[in-house]
Amino acid sequence: MNSQPSGRTIIHRIPIENVELVVEEEPGPGAPVVLLHGFPFDRRLWRGQRPALAGYRLFLPDLRGHGESDASPPPYSMVSLAEDLRRELDHLGLDRIALGGLSMGGYVALAFAARYPERLRALLLLDTHPLADPPAVRRARADQAARVRKAGPEAVVDELATRLVGGRDVDPEVIALTREMILGTSRDGMVGALEGMATRPDSTPGLAAISCPTLIVVGSDDTIAPPAMAREMAAAIPHAQLVEVPGAGHLAPLERPDLVNAALARFLAGAIA
Ligand code: MLT
């Protein structure tokens, strides 16, 4: 499987106020598709999706403070990350897009959908959910943020990797990449995202207003955004289809790219071809 950037890859470095945000473009003949990674990752999360989506113009941003994108001081609310995306789209001259997001990327996609519904041709929500953090999760995020401030991502890499890909039969290479992405996230990026996620509001009230075709994908073994939550979200969004990916956890696109790609390709062919 060709999961590397193609020879035609374009790296956009987009100035936004006093930072530069990186968006990888894989040129293709079809409509633009933008995929947002989760926390604390970067655009390599989508490495297995490039071949399947080669017919589209694929855009893979590194969110602020993640991957190659610059950091700014925390916090990064989900709305501020959605505003980064809006400015990137304006800079790239992209009007209407199919927008996908995994987990935190999905929180950002839902914030974008609430503010800019007219810019969406389709929505893809992977291993994500619309709910706000319960108090115990907020406390855990504050504790993690404090440790990252002091000692960087090394302070939390083991517990995050265990939460994200631990306790199951996951390809060691996927585990290694997961750890590499965590360790590659900047200190401010990690704290900014933790603080932003902890204060995000419940997006459930906005789900009924989503009017574009929507695909929800969930790993059958996802314990962070489990299938029951995905089913509730699918029931609340008027034009939602739900695909459950057997044998995958929270990082379904990395863990079972074959099944995720089939679901994405089938949905996009019907929704935006
Ligand atoms: C993610 O994958 O983006 C995170 O697990 C989201 C979260 O911690 O809520």
Side-chain angles (χ1 to χ4, degrees):
M1 181 177 63
N2 169 24
S3 56
Q4 298 302 312
S6 73
R8 295 168 306 132
T9 302
I10 301 166
I11 301 294
H12 300 277
R13 298 183 189 278
I14 303 176
I16 292 183
E17 286 160 7
N18 43 9
V19 299
E20 211 171 56
L21 301 184
V22 168
V23 178
E24 176 183 324
E25 175 181 356
E26 296 293 330
V33 175
V34 181
L35 299 177
L36 305 177
H37 62 77
F39 167 85
F41 306 126
D42 59 56
R43 64 186 194 273
R44 285 175 292 173
L45 178 88
W46 304 109
R47 65 178 186 173
Q49 278 60 61
R50 287 194 191 98
L53 300 182
Y56 297 94
R57 215 178 148 198
L58 183 61
F59 292 89
L60 305 176
D62 278 342
L63 295 173
R64 183 181 287 257
H66 295 69
E68 290 185 77
S69 285
D70 289 343
S72 57
Y76 307 165
S77 70
M78 299 302 103
V79 166
S80 74
L81 296 177
E83 279 303 321
D84 282 346
L85 173 63
R86 199 264 307 154
R87 291 182 200 192
E88 288 166 349
L89 298 182
D90 290 349
H91 179 94
L92 295 164
L94 299 173
D95 181 17
R96 297 184 71 226
I97 57 164
L99 175 62
L102 178 129
S103 201
M104 182 179 78
Y107 309 157
V108 177
L110 285 172
F112 186 91
R115 293 167 86 84
Y116 302 109
E118 73 286 356
R119 298 192 72 162
L120 291 184
R121 294 185 68 182
L123 187 60
L124 304 107
L125 300 168
L126 297 95
D127 294 302
T128 193
H129 64 81
L131 304 176
D133 279 351
V137 174
R138 273 192 211 146
R139 283 195 294 277
R141 294 211 204 268
D143 169 64
Q144 276 179 346
R147 284 182 288 136
V148 172
R149 269 186 211 281
K150 267 200 210 127
E154 292 79 5
V156 293
V157 62
D158 289 337
E159 70 199 72
L160 283 179
T162 301
R163 179 169 179 259
L164 293 159
V165 284
R168 297 174 27 260
D169 184 19
V170 176
D171 182 347
E173 204 267 323
V174 166
I175 297 176
L177 176 61
T178 302
R179 293 180 66 90
E180 203 179 306
M181 290 191 289
I182 295 170
L183 290 170
T185 304
S186 69
R187 215 175 267 218
D188 275 352
M190 205 173 251
V191 172
L194 282 165
E195 293 182 351
M197 287 192 288
T199 54
R200 75 189 190 281
D202 181 3
S203 297
T204 310
L207 297 182
I210 296 175
S211 59
C212 61
T214 300
L215 176 69
I216 295 170
V217 175
V218 62
S220 58
D221 303 334
D222 187 343
T223 52
I224 299 173
M229 278 185 180
R231 283 193 284 274
E232 277 183 30
M233 184 163 68
I237 298 177
H239 304 283
Q241 301 170 32
L242 173 67
V243 172
E244 189 169 321
V245 181
H250 188 56
L251 304 185
L254 269 183
E255 294 178 37
R256 293 303 309 265
D258 50 342
L259 297 179
V260 170
N261 289 346
L264 298 184
R266 199 171 45 240
F267 168 76
L268 289 170
I272 63 168

